Amino acid sequence: MRTDHEIDYDAEKVGKKEMLIRLLCSPLYYDEQTRQVNIDAFDLRMLGKRPETYVSIGRKSELETEEKFKKFIEKGYRIWNTKKKDKYYGYGEFQHDKALSISNKIEVNPLKDEDKSHIGLFYIKDDKEYYTGPLPKNDPEILEMLYELAKMLSDRVTKIAAD
Amino acid sequence: MTMLKANTGQNFYVRFENTKENLALLAYLQTLRNKNFVVFNSPAEVSESEKEHIRLNAQIEKISKLKAGWDGNVAQKANKKSIKQAEQLIAMLSENVLRYCALFPSNDSSIYLQGNFPKGGFVIYLNGETFSYVFKNENFKESAAGVELNEKNIKKIENTISKKML
């Protein structure tokens, strides 16, 4: 069985029809002229010496009040850097099963020690493990998967107005 | 003096901000009779064929100035070899292709060229040595890895885009 210590296997699974949210933390993640999301928005990265194991995703059903959504965006600011707040771009929404249809490597799971609104998009490497960051973009299959995820989001981006 | 420069392969452009100092410099430059030197009063005067090269070159310049952490987190700044690849790639592609394209930085210091065409899309991953790519539309897919960045391969890509994506 494929395991990752960050997945909450006891929590309720993410529904196939659920709407999910990916925050775009920098204007460099979206090009307004050609209306494209940077595929890097779905890559895994190195966080210092620790590689990322999932892409942070928001769960819209848990963010239905303005207050909750604002807290979610604020959390994104804290994760990235509070000083970069003015450089935050926006977010894109997508349906869970739309992401799953892109590749059988994609899996969305609830996370341990996180509130229900924060879940993770994982990439399956084999039957034993998940990918860790960064993904091997020299592999056309990985490149294609990231391209499709970014394309899925590209027409569904909402810009966050600067304060 | 803030300047934006772009080398399109055919011409070298420098964009000056509309400041008093720059206007004085431009007034002087306009007096030069060197036929290889032309002053445009606005971007609208630049030919269509050059505008897209200028736009993409401006994106390269922006990416080349990024510092580590540009994503608000731990992204690496773009490496010089990938920047050079991006410059070479943009110089070789026509404005018909470039008008649908954008360049993006990657957290691992590489660069992506992504295209959103009327009938499909692509992504090219420039890792500093070779490149990988994927082209896709509803009826067509082509991908490759470890491709050498040269005129022959780029011409092949341009042909594919013209036939399948536009």
Side-chain angles (χ1 to χ4, degrees):
Chain A
M1 178 187 164
R2 198 178 300 107
T3 60
D4 186 281
H5 66 282
E6 289 166 301
I7 297 173
D8 186 348
Y9 291 99
D10 296 325
E12 188 183 341
K13 289 197 185 302
V14 181
K16 296 284 191 288
K17 298 295 177 192
E18 281 198 54
M19 289 303 292
L20 308 179
I21 293 171
R22 175 64 180 143
L23 294 178
L24 302 175
C25 56
S26 165
L28 293 160
Y29 278 126
Y30 188 69
D31 182 75
E32 290 183 355
Q33 176 159 337
T34 60
R35 291 169 58 209
Q36 297 183 91
V37 168
N38 181 349
I39 71 169
D40 202 63
F42 285 96
D43 193 10
L44 301 172
R45 60 203 62 228
M46 290 299 295
L47 300 175
K49 289 182 183 173
R50 182 177 74 81
E52 269 189 332
T53 54
Y54 63 85
V55 174
S56 283
I57 301 291
R59 205 166 178 178
K60 199 172 178 187
S61 59
E62 299 293 329
L63 300 168
E64 283 186 330
T65 66
E66 195 177 322
E67 190 193 339
K68 282 183 180 177
F69 193 74
K70 200 178 169 189
K71 270 192 181 165
F72 176 69
I73 301 292
E74 289 284 340
K75 188 172 181 179
Y77 290 147
R78 284 201 300 276
I79 288 169
W80 302 119
N81 187 327
T82 51
K83 290 177 188 173
K84 306 274 185 187
K85 191 170 177 176
D86 61 329
K87 296 192 189 301
Y88 212 90
Y89 187 80
Y91 62 93
E93 296 181 43
F94 61 98
Q95 196 160 307
H96 181 195
D97 59 0
K98 176 85 172 129
L100 295 180
S101 71
I102 287 171
S103 169
N104 57 13
K105 288 188 187 315
I106 293 170
E107 202 175 87
V108 178
N109 295 301
L111 300 168
K112 277 184 190 167
D113 305 323
E114 291 286 341
D115 66 62
K116 285 185 183 177
S117 67
H118 183 202
I119 54 179
L121 190 154
F122 292 77
Y123 299 109
I124 298 165
K125 193 171 184 180
D126 53 39
D127 60 0
K128 290 201 177 94
E129 60 181 320
Y130 295 95
Y131 277 99
T132 58
L135 291 171
K137 277 92 62 185
N138 287 312
D139 179 345
E141 192 185 344
I142 296 291
L143 200 60
E144 181 184 351
M145 180 181 69
L146 293 175
Y147 162 79
E148 289 290 353
L149 283 166
K151 183 164 160 276
M152 170 189 71
L153 212 61
S154 288
D155 287 333
R156 307 179 63 92
V157 171
T158 301
K159 193 170 178 179
I160 292 175
D163 287 339
Chain B
M1 183 189 296
T2 303
M3 293 190 288
L4 177 70
K5 62 171 170 53
N7 186 350
T8 66
Q10 291 180 11
N11 298 306
F12 185 82
Y13 290 86
V14 179
R15 189 176 80 190
F16 294 88
E17 270 189 35
N18 195 12
T19 63
K20 275 184 189 171
E21 294 82 6
N22 288 346
L23 286 174
L25 174 62
L26 286 171
Y28 165 69
L29 291 173
Q30 277 179 305
T31 66
L32 295 181
R33 292 183 184 276
N34 184 342
K35 62 182 176 183
N36 292 324
F37 193 95
V38 178
V39 175
F40 296 109
N41 290 315
S42 80
E45 294 180 9
V46 177
S47 70
E48 289 300 320
S49 68
E50 289 280 75
K51 271 183 189 162
E52 294 302 332
H53 283 95
I54 291 172
R55 179 177 66 86
L56 272 296
N57 274 285
Q59 289 185 345
I60 292 173
E61 177 137 350
K62 192 174 178 181
I63 290 170
S64 68
K65 288 180 176 169
L66 291 174
K67 295 179 183 169
W70 56 262
D71 63 339
N73 201 344
V74 295
Q76 296 180 51
K77 62 180 187 177
N79 73 72
K80 286 180 182 170
K81 286 184 177 179
S82 292
I83 292 168
K84 185 79 184 161
Q85 279 185 309
E87 287 172 346
Q88 289 168 336
L89 182 58
I90 297 310
M92 285 192 266
L93 288 169
S94 71
E95 73 277 7
N96 279 340
V97 169
L98 292 179
R99 60 193 286 236
Y100 298 104
C101 294
L103 282 159
F104 294 106
S106 165
N107 74 88
D108 68 2
S109 83
S110 304
I111 291 175
Y112 304 111
L113 178 71
Q114 294 180 217
N116 181 16
F117 301 99
K119 295 179 186 173
F122 77 15
V123 56
I124 294 177
Y125 173 64
L126 301 166
N127 66 13
E129 304 294 335
T130 58
F131 69 91
S132 305
Y133 68 83
V134 171
F135 290 91
K136 272 192 91 166
N137 64 25
E138 279 179 12
N139 309 308
F140 169 79
K141 184 172 91 173
E142 182 182 305
S143 63
V147 183
E148 192 183 324
L149 184 61
N150 57 39
E151 223 170 298
K152 181 185 162 192
N153 287 333
I154 300 308
K155 202 166 172 97
K156 201 175 148 198
I157 283 173
E158 180 120 14
N159 285 339
T160 301
I161 293 169
S162 296
K163 284 179 189 165
K164 305 280 185 185
M165 306 276 169
L166 295 177

